[in-house]
Amino acid sequence: MDAQSRGRADDIDPADQWVLNPHTGNYELRLDQSAGESPVAARTATAEDSGRRGTNSPEVPGQRSRRASQSGGRGAEATATAGRRKRKAPKARRKKALMWTGGVTAFLVATTAVGAYILYEKLNGNIDAIDIGDQGSKNVVSEGPMNILIIGTDKRTGKGNEGYGDKGSAGHADTTILFHVSEDRTNATAMSIPRDLKTEIPECETKGSDGASTTIPGTPDERFNTSLGQSGRNPGCTMKTVENITGVKPDHFMMVDFNAVKELTTAVGGVEVCMAKPVDDPKSHLKLPQGTSEVQGEMALALLRTRHSFGNESDLDRIKVQQQFLASMIREMKSSDTLTNPKKLYTLADAATNALTVDTAIGDAKKLMTLAQEIGKVDTKNITFLTMPVIDNPAEPKPITVVVDPVKGEQLFAMLRSDTSLTEVKQKEKAAKGKQAALLKGPKAAPADVRVDVLNGGEIAGAAGATVTWLQNQQGVLKSTNKANAPEKIKKTTLEYAPNQADQARALAEMMGLPAAAMKPGTADAEGLEAMVLTLGADFKGAGIPITGPAKIPADVEKSSADKAVCAK
């Protein structure tokens, strides 16, 4: 290759683009080659080249001068020396290599940073957020258990969705799941709430785009699905309704509509479902063969909306299909095929952020990523799906709606409030809890020998006084004292006691239904008439109501695991 061909712009060695700035002492990238010939030519020129171009070519890092003197020099010897290329010193080659590597690294870092920023801005711009005021948590991730309310609204927006009926509606809470993630992140419970549940919709406050607040009156004996969209209610009102029913306070909400179902299922490349029999539903236009199929887009939406192809054609049977579908979608999202495919991950992230409406506390891409990573710690085999226990509404001659099962419902809610797992977790996690659980085992003191001071660190006004009255009148704990409000609010009830008060603590724990986690033994024995200290937390729901639930869910409450495929019947 001759000097002229080496001088073309596309043959320029990137290392030769770096020049020393005499003003700063730093090497800088020079991109302007309009002033003259390529620095490559200057670096590789022979004496003949040098004579033709002159002696003022610029020097660059890694270049050593090879210009021969044109006059008064070393005569023939100088000409002969200049006529052949000299071998570079190792130091010079190392210097050039470092410059080249440094230049490439700087370029890649800059490019990555710019790309990441553009990507972040793109995803961030997709997200819609709603200010729900005092509802929910201001923190992205809670140190304790987390509760996310997932709301599927039947709002008809977007291309192709007008034909599903109820055109122009503000939407309802059509599909609602309370997703409880345990404090230790070993397990999660996804409880579906029937849209036809009759309950009280409590008073709630909404905020407009101008920041002005509006109070929406509560209504008794309403269908649960009217907690959203109707009368101007936003997802914060649905969150408050769920808390009113279960005693579990949601931290955040994520809301999706018809479009979201189509976009998300397409982004993951389809969701595998299984039918126990062929399905041909003219109302939802769902057609699926017996066995496994992949659904996405319109077909996925049809599957989630149909209620005439499964079971007794009720909303409760439709919920089972929705749970099976969501379990399959979780498996697909957590599969190696998705997690190791950058293009698929980006498509999924773009679709998810574009589909979601969330509360302002998690209303940007980075916060959503943080929350997703926290939830992602749970193994799919330890995610349990079930439906809120309900019974037919006894107030209706021909039941159309349902109400919470007064026994099984409260048992399940208590388990969620006390963070009791509905699935088996790893042995080491169980062993870690075993030591704490042992605090409840052993002899118990007689009620008359239990001495306790009660403080209120929860949300219910007068809770300490009411508890003392209940202990004295209903349980025979006459040595109980109301110490009014605790110095600060706490989330969970605690019982502090000395080692020589352990029998009293176990007796009180049994009366109150305290979980093992509430037991806080000290290291020094109590002296004289010193009392234990019971501090009621936000998990306290009233005197006589157990704070913890049963160790296991009632046997006849149907549940399923996210790691197992089930065929819809």
Side-chain angles (χ1 to χ4, degrees):
M1 183 182 292
D2 59 19
Q4 284 82 0
S5 65
R6 287 196 300 269
R8 290 199 305 267
D10 57 350
D11 289 324
I12 295 172
D13 189 331
D16 289 324
Q17 306 291 306
W18 294 85
V19 296
L20 179 67
N21 186 332
H23 300 294
T24 64
N26 297 324
Y27 284 101
E28 299 177 355
L29 186 64
R30 181 180 64 188
L31 299 178
D32 184 9
Q33 298 297 328
S34 62
E37 56 279 3
S38 162
V40 178
R43 175 171 59 84
T44 59
T46 61
E48 180 182 350
D49 297 322
S50 176
R52 185 169 58 247
R53 293 188 294 113
T55 60
N56 296 319
S57 299
E59 301 253 2
V60 295
Q63 173 184 347
R64 58 178 294 187
S65 175
R66 290 179 298 278
R67 302 187 191 89
S69 172
Q70 299 297 311
S71 61
R74 294 157 23 211
E77 180 181 352
T79 302
T81 302
R84 62 178 181 270
R85 297 180 60 141
K86 290 187 178 180
R87 186 177 182 183
K88 292 183 180 180
K91 184 176 181 180
R93 290 200 303 274
R94 286 197 300 269
K95 186 176 180 182
K96 176 180 176 180
L98 287 173
M99 286 300 173
W100 167 229
T101 304
V104 171
T105 302
F107 175 75
L108 289 176
V109 169
T111 303
T112 303
V114 171
Y117 175 77
I118 293 172
L119 176 61
Y120 170 76
E121 287 295 301
K122 169 69 168 65
L123 298 180
N124 211 38
N126 289 346
I127 303 169
D128 290 326
I130 295 176
D131 188 345
I132 54 174
D134 294 335
Q135 289 300 313
S137 171
K138 303 304 178 187
N139 299 320
V140 176
V141 174
S142 171
E143 292 183 359
M146 294 192 305
N147 297 289
I148 315 296
L149 195 64
I150 302 171
I151 306 171
T153 175
D154 58 358
K155 186 175 181 180
R156 275 75 172 167
T157 57
K159 184 179 179 181
N161 296 326
E162 302 85 354
Y164 288 107
D166 201 14
K167 184 177 180 180
S169 169
H172 304 76
D174 190 57
T175 299
T176 307
I177 296 175
L178 179 60
F179 195 78
H180 172 86
V181 182
S182 68
E183 181 174 6
D184 60 10
R185 310 302 190 242
T186 63
N187 62 92
T189 300
M191 182 183 73
S192 295
I193 302 174
R195 66 178 185 178
D196 294 330
L197 175 74
K198 271 295 187 79
T199 187
E200 176 190 2
I201 310 295
E203 177 184 284
C204 62
E205 190 176 89
T206 63
K207 283 191 176 184
S209 56
D210 59 354
S213 297
T214 301
T215 299
I216 302 175
T219 53
D221 201 30
E222 283 270 13
R223 287 184 190 241
F224 172 80
N225 68 347
T226 64
S227 64
L228 175 72
Q230 312 308 300
S231 303
R233 297 185 180 107
N234 67 14
C237 298
T238 308
M239 293 171 73
K240 192 167 184 179
T241 304
V242 170
E243 182 181 3
N244 192 55
I245 296 169
T246 65
V248 178
K249 184 179 177 66
D251 296 296
H252 303 289
F253 82 86
M254 296 181 182
M255 183 169 67
V256 296
D257 60 13
F258 285 178
N259 273 342
V261 173
K262 294 190 285 189
E263 291 171 6
L264 287 172
T265 54
T266 302
V268 296
V271 176
E272 187 177 277
V273 295
C274 180
M275 302 293 111
K277 60 182 180 181
V279 174
D280 187 356
D281 185 352
K283 292 187 176 181
S284 66
H285 309 294
L286 177 67
K287 289 186 178 182
L288 289 174
Q290 182 177 350
T292 58
S293 303
E294 271 199 356
V295 296
Q296 60 179 284
E298 290 286 350
M299 190 65 72
L301 180 58
L303 174 64
L304 295 182
R305 289 198 46 74
T306 187
R307 58 186 295 173
H308 300 289
S309 301
F310 307 106
N312 61 6
E313 302 186 13
S314 70
D315 185 51
L316 297 179
D317 285 302
R318 184 179 72 149
I319 286 174
K320 293 178 184 177
V321 176
Q322 292 172 345
Q323 290 173 350
Q324 294 160 12
F325 175 87
L326 288 174
S328 181
M329 192 165 182
I330 289 173
R331 292 194 298 272
E332 179 61 35
M333 287 181 173
K334 296 187 74 170
S335 69
S336 58
D337 180 54
T338 298
L339 296 178
T340 60
N341 187 325
K343 183 178 179 181
K344 199 169 185 178
L345 270 179
Y346 168 74
T347 303
L348 179 58
D350 187 41
T353 51
N354 198 45
L356 286 175
T357 298
V358 299
D359 54 283
T360 50
I362 55 173
D364 72 50
K366 189 173 183 180
K367 291 177 180 178
L368 270 178
M369 179 69 74
T370 299
L371 182 60
Q373 289 172 337
E374 193 72 8
I375 295 174
K377 294 177 181 178
V378 182
D379 194 316
T380 51
K381 70 180 180 181
N382 291 330
I383 301 176
T384 302
F385 283 90
L386 48 72
T387 302
M388 176 186 289
V390 294
I391 58 174
D392 289 337
N393 188 349
E396 297 173 343
K398 184 178 180 181
I400 299 175
T401 61
V402 294
V403 295
V404 176
D405 187 310
V407 177
K408 297 174 186 175
E410 181 50 43
Q411 287 178 333
L412 177 58
F413 304 157
M415 292 181 74
L416 293 176
R417 292 194 298 264
S418 62
D419 197 26
T420 302
S421 174
L422 272 64
T423 185
E424 290 296 322
V425 295
K426 294 179 181 178
Q427 290 299 318
K428 64 178 183 180
E429 281 93 4
K430 293 173 69 177
K433 292 182 177 180
K435 185 176 180 181
Q436 187 72 18
L439 297 174
L440 296 175
K441 298 177 181 179
K444 301 175 180 66
D449 295 328
V450 174
R451 189 182 298 273
V452 63
D453 291 338
V454 183
L455 293 86
N456 183 14
E459 305 294 333
I460 303 174
T467 298
V468 167
T469 299
W470 176 78
L471 285 172
Q472 292 178 351
N473 296 339
Q474 302 295 323
Q475 303 298 314
V477 183
L478 301 179
K479 298 171 184 175
S480 52
T481 306
N482 175 12
K483 292 294 185 179
N485 292 330
E488 59 183 7
K489 299 287 186 180
I490 60 173
K491 287 187 176 181
K492 295 183 178 181
T493 298
T494 61
L495 177 59
E496 299 172 77
Y497 61 96
N500 60 343
Q501 295 172 324
D503 58 341
Q504 297 181 50
R506 288 190 286 266
L508 185 64
E510 184 176 64
M511 297 175 202
M512 298 281 298
L514 297 179
M519 309 295 280
K520 307 295 180 185
T523 56
D525 283 347
E527 298 180 1
L529 302 178
E530 186 178 347
M532 300 183 295
V533 178
L534 174 68
T535 306
L536 305 174
D539 57 352
F540 176 78
K541 300 306 170 188
I545 300 177
I547 291 176
T548 188
K552 292 185 178 180
I553 189 174
D556 55 350
V557 174
E558 190 173 347
K559 64 177 183 177
S560 61
S561 173
D563 71 323
K564 295 178 181 177
V566 180
C567 292
K569 299 178 181 179

